[in-house]
Amino acid sequence: MNGAPFPRARLHTLYFLGHVADFSPVFLDTEVDMTRVLAHREASRVNGEACSPLTYVLYTAARVVAAHPDANAAVHRGLFAHRVRQFTGASGKITLDKRLRGRRVVLSAVLPGLDTVSLTEIQRQVAHYRDGDPETMAEFAPVRSLQRLPEPVGRTLFRLSRRSLARREAMMGGFAVTSLGHRSVQGFHSVGGTTLTFGLGRVEERPVVRGGEITTAPLLRLNLAFDHRVVDGAEAADVLHEVKEALEGFTAEAAEHPGTRVPGTVTEPARTAPKARGGDGIAAGPAVDQRAT
């Protein structure tokens, strides 16, 4: 038989893709004027607290998702029937461009309770994963262990670990945010293993019409992939629209009040979430630096 063995450093990705094969994704996209976000970011640099665009989206999306309990949920196909579980907080999963076993791989981490923590705390968690070494970090020990197992065993254990709806949020997050904005990618869609997955492209100056005149603005292509088994298109569109409006209307006051409801959401979340335990971040951009600063 021709071909080399599948690289062990990417076995977790292979198992994950088998998990998401059951998803029924539908894709939406919009553009976000990031003028206010970037202004807040520049003002924050004075205190050395500048956050990445990824962090702003995590902060905003968590508050929107928490206000949409039907979308803040997951489904499991049992032997005889499907089961749905709504989550009690807004936990976000993010992806990382890392090196493991000498190979470039994608890893992920879950940041719990994002609807109750501050912007700077989310950035702190993002930096923890951005700067950490996956070869030694305790958070990635399960991935390293999985890669040492024979493929049939690893695949089975991965599948079994994702079957429990009670553990799904802690393991996969309630929603996902992933970015390829470090390259000249304007937008992309990804199924992140969660009901809602936001995809971030590059923030760059592009033409817009304001008051009947053509000018430019820093635009972010924001995409949303949603699992149609859990949520229908109208509510998914509401979620995307509310995230867009909250980012375009971002204020310093919103960033300073962790539990603040974002404008336009239907209900205000009133939840206590577990203490955040770290996060990850990869987001970069030549036009506007989107790395998890």
Short mmCIF file of all heavy atoms in Angstrom, two decimals, residues 77-100:
data_model
loop_
_atom_site.label_atom_id
_atom_site.label_comp_id
_atom_site.label_asym_id
_atom_site.label_seq_id
_atom_site.Cartn_x
_atom_site.Cartn_y
_atom_site.Cartn_z
N ARG A 77 -27.65 12.81 18.91
CA ARG A 77 -28.48 11.80 18.28
C ARG A 77 -28.29 10.47 19.01
O ARG A 77 -27.25 9.83 18.92
CB ARG A 77 -28.12 11.64 16.81
CG ARG A 77 -29.01 10.63 16.08
CD ARG A 77 -28.63 10.53 14.61
NE ARG A 77 -27.28 10.00 14.43
CZ ARG A 77 -26.72 9.80 13.26
NH1 ARG A 77 -27.36 10.11 12.15
NH2 ARG A 77 -25.49 9.31 13.17
N GLY A 78 -29.32 10.10 19.78
CA GLY A 78 -29.28 8.83 20.49
C GLY A 78 -29.69 7.67 19.61
O GLY A 78 -29.93 7.83 18.40
N LEU A 79 -29.79 6.51 20.22
CA LEU A 79 -30.15 5.31 19.46
C LEU A 79 -31.57 5.39 18.92
O LEU A 79 -31.84 4.96 17.79
CB LEU A 79 -30.00 4.07 20.36
CG LEU A 79 -30.22 2.71 19.68
CD1 LEU A 79 -29.22 2.52 18.55
CD2 LEU A 79 -30.10 1.59 20.71
N PHE A 80 -32.47 5.99 19.71
CA PHE A 80 -33.88 6.03 19.30
C PHE A 80 -34.41 7.45 19.10
O PHE A 80 -35.44 7.63 18.45
CB PHE A 80 -34.75 5.32 20.36
CG PHE A 80 -34.39 3.88 20.56
CD1 PHE A 80 -33.73 3.48 21.72
CD2 PHE A 80 -34.67 2.93 19.59
CE1 PHE A 80 -33.39 2.16 21.92
CE2 PHE A 80 -34.32 1.61 19.78
CZ PHE A 80 -33.67 1.21 20.94
N ALA A 81 -33.76 8.45 19.68
CA ALA A 81 -34.28 9.81 19.58
C ALA A 81 -33.17 10.82 19.82
O ALA A 81 -32.12 10.49 20.40
CB ALA A 81 -35.41 10.03 20.60
N HIS A 82 -33.39 12.04 19.35
CA HIS A 82 -32.46 13.13 19.59
C HIS A 82 -32.76 13.78 20.94
O HIS A 82 -33.91 13.86 21.37
CB HIS A 82 -32.57 14.20 18.49
CG HIS A 82 -31.93 13.81 17.20
ND1 HIS A 82 -32.50 12.89 16.35
CD2 HIS A 82 -30.77 14.22 16.62
CE1 HIS A 82 -31.72 12.74 15.28
NE2 HIS A 82 -30.67 13.54 15.43
N ARG A 83 -31.71 14.28 21.59
CA ARG A 83 -31.84 15.01 22.84
C ARG A 83 -31.17 16.37 22.69
O ARG A 83 -30.15 16.50 22.01
CB ARG A 83 -31.17 14.25 23.99
CG ARG A 83 -31.66 12.83 24.20
CD ARG A 83 -33.06 12.78 24.79
NE ARG A 83 -33.09 13.33 26.14
CZ ARG A 83 -34.20 13.44 26.85
NH1 ARG A 83 -35.37 13.06 26.32
NH2 ARG A 83 -34.16 13.92 28.08
N VAL A 84 -31.78 17.40 23.31
CA VAL A 84 -31.24 18.75 23.26
C VAL A 84 -30.97 19.23 24.67
O VAL A 84 -31.76 18.98 25.59
CB VAL A 84 -32.22 19.72 22.55
CG1 VAL A 84 -31.67 21.15 22.58
CG2 VAL A 84 -32.47 19.28 21.12
N ARG A 85 -29.86 19.92 24.86
CA ARG A 85 -29.52 20.49 26.17
C ARG A 85 -29.17 21.96 26.01
O ARG A 85 -28.33 22.32 25.19
CB ARG A 85 -28.34 19.75 26.80
CG ARG A 85 -27.96 20.27 28.19
CD ARG A 85 -26.75 19.54 28.73
NE ARG A 85 -26.35 20.03 30.04
CZ ARG A 85 -26.79 19.54 31.19
NH1 ARG A 85 -27.65 18.53 31.19
NH2 ARG A 85 -26.39 20.04 32.35
N GLN A 86 -29.83 22.82 26.80
CA GLN A 86 -29.49 24.23 26.85
C GLN A 86 -28.42 24.45 27.91
O GLN A 86 -28.44 23.83 28.98
CB GLN A 86 -30.73 25.08 27.16
CG GLN A 86 -31.74 25.11 26.03
CD GLN A 86 -32.91 26.03 26.32
OE1 GLN A 86 -33.12 26.46 27.45
NE2 GLN A 86 -33.68 26.34 25.29
N PHE A 87 -27.48 25.34 27.60
CA PHE A 87 -26.37 25.60 28.50
C PHE A 87 -26.72 26.73 29.48
O PHE A 87 -27.56 27.58 29.19
CB PHE A 87 -25.11 25.95 27.72
CG PHE A 87 -24.68 24.86 26.77
CD1 PHE A 87 -24.34 25.15 25.45
CD2 PHE A 87 -24.61 23.55 27.19
CE1 PHE A 87 -23.94 24.15 24.59
CE2 PHE A 87 -24.21 22.53 26.33
CZ PHE A 87 -23.87 22.85 25.02
N THR A 88 -26.04 26.74 30.61
CA THR A 88 -26.35 27.72 31.66
C THR A 88 -25.47 28.95 31.60
O THR A 88 -25.67 29.89 32.35
CB THR A 88 -26.20 27.06 33.04
OG1 THR A 88 -24.88 26.53 33.17
CG2 THR A 88 -27.21 25.93 33.20
N GLY A 89 -24.47 28.96 30.77
CA GLY A 89 -23.60 30.11 30.61
C GLY A 89 -23.17 30.20 29.17
O GLY A 89 -23.62 29.43 28.33
N ALA A 90 -22.32 31.16 28.87
CA ALA A 90 -21.83 31.32 27.50
C ALA A 90 -20.34 31.01 27.48
O ALA A 90 -19.51 31.86 27.80
CB ALA A 90 -22.10 32.73 26.99
N SER A 91 -20.00 29.79 27.13
CA SER A 91 -18.61 29.35 27.05
C SER A 91 -18.16 29.36 25.59
O SER A 91 -18.83 28.78 24.74
CB SER A 91 -18.45 27.95 27.64
OG SER A 91 -18.79 27.93 29.01
N GLY A 92 -17.05 30.01 25.33
CA GLY A 92 -16.58 30.14 23.96
C GLY A 92 -15.34 29.31 23.68
O GLY A 92 -14.41 29.27 24.48
N LYS A 93 -15.34 28.64 22.54
CA LYS A 93 -14.17 27.87 22.11
C LYS A 93 -13.42 28.67 21.06
O LYS A 93 -14.03 29.27 20.17
CB LYS A 93 -14.59 26.52 21.53
CG LYS A 93 -13.40 25.62 21.19
CD LYS A 93 -13.84 24.31 20.58
CE LYS A 93 -14.12 24.46 19.10
NZ LYS A 93 -14.25 23.16 18.42
N ILE A 94 -12.12 28.70 21.15
CA ILE A 94 -11.31 29.37 20.14
C ILE A 94 -10.22 28.44 19.64
O ILE A 94 -9.86 27.46 20.31
CB ILE A 94 -10.70 30.68 20.67
CG1 ILE A 94 -9.99 30.45 21.98
CG2 ILE A 94 -11.78 31.74 20.84
CD1 ILE A 94 -9.37 31.70 22.56
N THR A 95 -9.71 28.72 18.47
CA THR A 95 -8.73 27.85 17.84
C THR A 95 -7.35 28.48 17.88
O THR A 95 -7.20 29.70 17.92
CB THR A 95 -9.11 27.56 16.38
OG1 THR A 95 -9.31 28.79 15.68
CG2 THR A 95 -10.40 26.74 16.32
N LEU A 96 -6.35 27.63 17.84
CA LEU A 96 -4.95 28.04 17.96
C LEU A 96 -4.11 27.45 16.84
O LEU A 96 -4.25 26.26 16.52
CB LEU A 96 -4.38 27.55 19.30
CG LEU A 96 -4.97 28.13 20.56
CD1 LEU A 96 -4.77 27.16 21.71
CD2 LEU A 96 -4.33 29.46 20.87
N ASP A 97 -3.26 28.25 16.29
CA ASP A 97 -2.27 27.78 15.32
C ASP A 97 -0.99 27.49 16.11
O ASP A 97 -0.29 28.40 16.54
CB ASP A 97 -2.05 28.87 14.27
CG ASP A 97 -0.99 28.49 13.24
OD1 ASP A 97 -0.66 27.29 13.13
OD2 ASP A 97 -0.49 29.41 12.54
N LYS A 98 -0.70 26.21 16.31
CA LYS A 98 0.42 25.81 17.17
C LYS A 98 1.29 24.77 16.49
O LYS A 98 0.95 24.24 15.42
CB LYS A 98 -0.13 25.22 18.49
CG LYS A 98 -0.78 26.24 19.41
CD LYS A 98 0.26 27.13 20.07
CE LYS A 98 -0.32 27.95 21.18
NZ LYS A 98 0.72 28.79 21.84
N ARG A 99 2.41 24.47 17.16
CA ARG A 99 3.27 23.37 16.71
C ARG A 99 3.30 22.31 17.80
O ARG A 99 3.52 22.60 18.98
CB ARG A 99 4.68 23.86 16.40
CG ARG A 99 4.74 24.83 15.22
CD ARG A 99 6.16 24.95 14.68
NE ARG A 99 6.58 23.75 13.97
CZ ARG A 99 6.31 23.50 12.69
NH1 ARG A 99 5.60 24.37 11.97
NH2 ARG A 99 6.75 22.40 12.12
N LEU A 100 3.07 21.07 17.37
CA LEU A 100 3.05 19.93 18.29
C LEU A 100 3.72 18.76 17.60
O LEU A 100 3.44 18.47 16.43
CB LEU A 100 1.60 19.58 18.65
CG LEU A 100 1.36 18.59 19.78
CD1 LEU A 100 1.97 19.10 21.08
CD2 LEU A 100 -0.13 18.34 19.96
#
